[in-house]
C-alpha cells in the first residue's frame, strides 16, 4: 500500500486526483491539504509515502513545502505538479528535493505510474521534458569557448560520456544503442556517476550537467 497525501489549493483538483487514485488497490489517499503549510503539518502527522504537491499554493508554496518535507521527512517522496510544462518553479522544486514533476493535464495512467516511480526513490520526469526545463531555466554564466567544462576529475571518460548523453535527454536504452553497450552496463555506470557527483537521481544529474558546463544552456553538448 502506497500512502498518498494530496496538496493543492483547488478543492476540485484535490478531489479529482483522489478519484483517479481511488480505483487502484495499491494506493490509499490519507489526507488532503489546501496549502503548503498544511501539507507539511499533515505529512508530519500522517506520514505518507508520497505527497502529490502543487507547486503554486498560498501560505507556503509547493517549493517551500517540498524543502521542509525533505528536511523533516526524508523518506517521504514529493511528486510536484504544475499547470504549465515550462515552469521555472519545476527546477526549484527539484532542487528542493522533489522526486519528480508532472503537468496537471497528464493521464490517470501517467499519474499513477509516476507515483509508483517516486515511491521507489526514482525520478519521475520525462528526460526530454527535464532537459527542456533546465536548458530554459538554469542560468549558467557565459564561458569562453575554449574553457573545459567543470566536470569532477574522478569521473572516467566513459562516465563523462554517459552523463553528457543522459543530460541531453536520452534514456538508458538510447544511451546503450548510441554507445553500443548493454542497458545493464549503462545502469551500472549511471549508479557510479550519481555517487561521484553526489546526486540522488537523474533529475539532479541533469541539473549538475548544466551547472558544470558539460551541456550548454542555449545549445547542445560541449
Amino acid at each position: 500500500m502506497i500512502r498518498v497525501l494530496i496538496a493543492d489549493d483547488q478543492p476540485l483538483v484535490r478531489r479529482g486526483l483522489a478519484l483517479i487514485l481511488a480505483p487502484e488497490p495499491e494506493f490509499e489517499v490519507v489526507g488532503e491539504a489546501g496549502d503548503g503549510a498544511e501539507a507539511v503539518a499533515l505529512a508530519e502527522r500522517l506520514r505518507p509515502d508520497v505527497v502529490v504537491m502543487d507547486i503554486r499554493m498560498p501560505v507556503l508554496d509547493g517549493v517551500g513545502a517540498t524543502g521542509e518535507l525533505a528536511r523533516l521527512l526524508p523518506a517521504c517522496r514529493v511528486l510536484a505538479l504544475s499547470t504549465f510544462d515550462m515552469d521555472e518553479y519545476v527546477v526549484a522544486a527539484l532542487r528542493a528535493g522533489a522526486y519528480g514533476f508532472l503537468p496537471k493535464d497528464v493521464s490517470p495512467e501517467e499519474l499513477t505510474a509516476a507515483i509508483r516511480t517516486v515511491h521507489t526513490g526514482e525520478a519521475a520526469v520525462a528526460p526530454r521534458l527535464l532537459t527542456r526545463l533546465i536548458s530554459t531555466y538554469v542560468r549558467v554564466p557565459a564561458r569562453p569557448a575554449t574553457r573545459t567544462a567543470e566536470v569532477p576529475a574522478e569521473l572516467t571518460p566513459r562516465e563523462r560520456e554517459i552523463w553528457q548523453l543522459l543530460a541531453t535527454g536520452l534514456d538508458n536504452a538510447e544511451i546503450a544503442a548510441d554507445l553500443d553497450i548493454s542497458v545493464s552496463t549503462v545502469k551500472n555506470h549511471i549508479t557510479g556517476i550519481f555517487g561521484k557527483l553526489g546526486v540522488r537521481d537523474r533529475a539532479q544529474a541533469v541539473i549538475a550537467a548544466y551547472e558544470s558546463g558539460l551541456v550548454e544552456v542555449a545549445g547542445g553538448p560541449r
Side-chain angles (χ1 to χ4, degrees), residues 1-5 21 24-31 48 50:
M1 183 69 70
I2 301 175
R3 294 165 54 80
V4 180
L5 173 67
L21 300 181
E24 303 287 340
E26 69 195 284
F27 297 123
E28 178 188 4
V29 176
V30 297
V50 176

Side-chain angles (χ1 to χ4, degrees), residues 1-5 47-51 75-78 118-119:
M1 183 69 70
I2 301 175
R3 294 165 54 80
V4 180
L5 173 67
R47 303 287 166 148
D49 300 304
V50 176
V51 177
C76 178
R77 318 299 191 190
V78 173
V118 299
H119 180 244

Side-chain angles (χ1 to χ4, degrees), residues 17 22-23 36 60 75-76 88 93 107 122 128 149 163-164 191 193 202:
L17 293 172
L60 178 66
C76 178
E88 62 186 332
S107 68
E122 297 295 325
R128 288 183 177 81
W163 182 29
Q164 187 174 62
T191 299
I193 291 165
R202 202 178 194 96

Side-chain angles (χ1 to χ4, degrees), residues 47-191:
R47 303 287 166 148
D49 300 304
V50 176
V51 177
V52 178
M53 181 87 73
D54 183 18
I55 56 177
R56 290 181 173 176
M57 292 187 292
V59 185
L60 178 66
D61 66 16
V63 174
T66 296
E68 283 294 291
L69 289 175
R71 181 176 64 85
L72 298 169
L73 300 172
C76 178
R77 318 299 191 190
V78 173
L79 175 62
L81 299 182
S82 174
T83 304
F84 304 104
D85 280 358
M86 298 297 291
D87 192 324
E88 62 186 332
Y89 292 107
V90 175
V91 171
L94 294 173
R95 288 183 185 278
Y99 274 72
F101 161 74
L102 290 178
K104 284 187 176 180
D105 60 356
V106 295
S107 68
E109 294 77 17
E110 289 172 313
L111 175 65
T112 54
I115 293 173
R116 294 185 189 100
T117 297
V118 299
H119 180 244
T120 68
E122 297 295 325
V125 184
R128 288 183 177 81
L129 173 58
L130 178 63
T131 299
R132 195 169 76 239
L133 285 164
I134 294 171
S135 68
T136 302
Y137 291 110
V138 172
R139 303 306 185 203
V140 180
R143 295 179 171 86
T146 57
R147 181 172 175 180
T148 302
E150 297 169 359
V151 176
E154 59 268 28
L155 285 180
T156 67
R158 176 63 90 185
E159 287 172 337
R160 175 188 167 120
E161 189 174 23
I162 289 174
W163 182 29
Q164 187 174 62
L165 292 172
L166 179 158
T168 56
L170 300 189
D171 60 27
N172 290 356
E174 290 168 331
I175 293 171
D178 191 86
L179 299 179
D180 196 24
I181 57 179
S182 70
V183 173
S184 62
T185 298
V186 172
K187 290 179 179 178
N188 289 337
H189 278 304
I190 288 176
T191 299

